[in-house]
Amino acid sequence: MASKNKKMKMMTLDQLKDRDIGKIGTLERDKYEFDLRMELLGEMIKSVRKERKLTQEQLGELIGVQKSQISKLERNTKNVTIETILKVFRALKANVKFSVEMNEAEFKVA
């Protein structure tokens, strides 16, 4: 009977991520956030390609790669160069904006 009176603790998504993945700035959390952004990038490519009514094969021909490479790109953008991503978005006639953030760690040029 005591369990019926026990209240469930509510948590935000950020609190759950902090608890289960790690706090912002930790290696685990940074990797999670990066992987999530890369997955979204692949989904964007697929969405724009379909919006332009192109098959994977047609998009591949536009940038000079095989259909299988477009398929891999849409499923996993982690192992692709920025140059390839830019080629894809140029072929799709889509604007791309990249943002680079620098942390406050010491930066040395040898």
Side-chain angles (χ1 to χ4, degrees):
M1 289 284 179
S3 63
K4 286 185 179 180
N5 293 331
K6 195 172 186 178
K7 289 185 180 181
M8 183 184 272
K9 183 179 177 187
M10 300 294 289
M11 296 179 84
T12 67
L13 179 59
D14 285 334
Q15 289 170 327
L16 287 171
K17 286 185 203 177
D18 287 349
R19 184 190 73 189
D20 296 335
I21 300 167
K23 299 247 184 221
I24 293 174
T26 62
L27 185 61
E28 294 83 9
R29 180 71 173 264
D30 288 348
K31 182 181 180 328
Y32 167 81
E33 298 290 345
F34 176 79
D35 290 347
L36 183 59
R37 282 192 291 269
M38 291 298 100
E39 188 174 312
L40 291 174
L41 183 59
E43 287 296 320
M44 278 190 264
I45 291 168
K46 183 177 184 177
S47 176
V48 174
R49 175 183 59 77
K50 286 184 171 189
E51 188 178 291
R52 302 286 193 259
K53 298 183 182 2
L54 291 171
T55 65
Q56 290 177 338
E57 188 171 354
Q58 290 168 326
L59 178 56
E61 287 173 9
L62 287 173
I63 67 167
V65 299
Q66 299 292 317
K67 173 191 174 208
S68 61
Q69 288 181 277
I70 299 299
S71 176
K72 285 179 190 174
L73 179 64
E74 290 179 352
R75 287 182 283 118
N76 179 6
T77 54
K78 286 186 264 186
N79 297 323
V80 67
T81 65
I82 291 175
E83 180 181 3
T84 300
I85 293 170
L86 291 174
K87 281 181 185 179
V88 168
F89 280 115
R90 272 191 231 112
L92 294 170
K93 295 180 174 45
N95 292 326
V96 178
K97 295 180 183 179
F98 280 101
S99 174
V100 176
E101 294 180 23
M102 300 292 290
N103 61 22
E104 295 181 23
E106 189 174 333
F107 181 77
K108 292 182 181 179
V109 179

